[in-house]
Amino acid sequence: MLADIEGSGIIEHIWLTTRCYSEKYLRKLVIEMYWDGEDNPSVRSPLGDFFGVGHATCTHYVSLPLSMVFGPRRAPRARSPRR
């Protein structure tokens, strides 16, 4: 669990690193998000797919809402549009 927040809010930025050394770690690690007391996740996706990197193929890219940068101290990143 990364966060357990009560009340309303907005996710403005997600940045994370992993310690999974599997060749296909972007497909094996799954991100799940729950809100409003639901028993099932509102978001469930392989980590790579969530950040726009399908087929677990590591590639560097930068776009307005998402980026994936590989190398030392680099990681997937997502920003939501500002209100």
Side-chain angles (χ1 to χ4, degrees), residues 49-71:
D49 291 17
F50 182 82
F51 285 101
V53 181
H55 309 294
T57 302
C58 298
T59 185
H60 170 86
Y61 80 92
V62 176
S63 68
L64 183 60
L66 301 171
S67 66
M68 182 71 87
V69 181
F70 289 91

Side-chain angles (χ1 to χ4, degrees), residues 20-60:
C20 183
Y21 299 107
S22 170
E23 179 181 341
K24 299 289 185 182
Y25 77 97
L26 290 173
R27 180 64 62 172
K28 292 182 177 185
L29 297 177
V30 175
I31 188 168
E32 293 182 339
M33 297 178 194
Y34 297 79
W35 40 75
D36 298 334
E38 292 292 327
D39 292 328
N40 297 310
S42 297
V43 175
R44 185 174 198 278
S45 172
L47 190 63
D49 291 17
F50 182 82
F51 285 101
V53 181
H55 309 294
T57 302
C58 298
T59 185
H60 170 86

Side-chain angles (χ1 to χ4, degrees), residues 11-15 50-51 63-67 76-82:
I11 299 170
E12 291 186 5
H13 186 203
I14 299 173
W15 178 79
F50 182 82
F51 285 101
S63 68
L64 183 60
L66 301 171
S67 66
R77 185 177 299 227
R79 291 185 183 274
S80 69
R82 300 284 182 206

Side-chain angles (χ1 to χ4, degrees), residues 2-13:
L2 297 175
D4 186 6
I5 301 167
E6 294 293 324
S8 62
I10 183 170
I11 299 170
E12 291 186 5
H13 186 203

